[in-house]
Amino acid sequence: MPQGTPIVPSVKRALTIIETLATSGRGMSISALSRRLNLPKSTAHTIVLTLRSAGYVRCDDETGRYRIGPAFLEVAGGMMKQPDLHDEDIR
């Protein structure tokens, strides 16, 4: 990325939450996400609810843990259909 490229902090935080949930295995509570990412609990909660409303995060109602949602399957499927996709793009 070129130096001086503007970064949107809320987008960066959302992507960090997605990456954390994707590698969490059993999912995570809002409190655990907040602690792990050093985010205010209210910020983590708002971002997770926004991602959930779009299908990118889902919640296990029994445990209250959040995980990656089904919308990522659609995104991944779209990426796999790109005609210029190379092996190095999927590693």
Side-chain angles (χ1 to χ4, degrees):
M1 181 180 320
Q3 190 172 5
T5 301
I7 301 295
V8 180
S10 59
V11 173
K12 179 67 174 158
R13 286 191 296 266
L15 292 170
T16 301
I17 287 173
I18 289 166
E19 291 166 354
T20 302
L21 291 175
T23 59
S24 70
R26 301 179 322 158
M28 297 180 76
S29 68
I30 296 295
S31 294
L33 269 171
S34 173
R35 283 190 304 272
R36 170 135 353 135
L37 301 177
N38 198 28
L39 289 173
K41 192 174 177 181
S42 61
T43 299
H45 190 243
T46 301
I47 292 171
V48 166
L49 289 180
T50 301
L51 293 168
R52 185 180 184 187
S53 73
Y56 288 97
V57 169
R58 63 186 172 96
C59 183
D60 182 324
D61 292 330
E62 291 182 23
T63 66
R65 292 175 181 254
Y66 290 87
R67 300 173 189 209
I68 293 300
F72 280 103
L73 291 174
E74 188 173 330
V75 171
M79 182 181 174
M80 298 304 291
K81 292 178 186 175
Q82 292 180 12
D84 59 344
L85 185 67
H86 304 299
D87 287 342
E88 61 270 11
D89 293 331
I90 55 176
R91 287 190 202 136

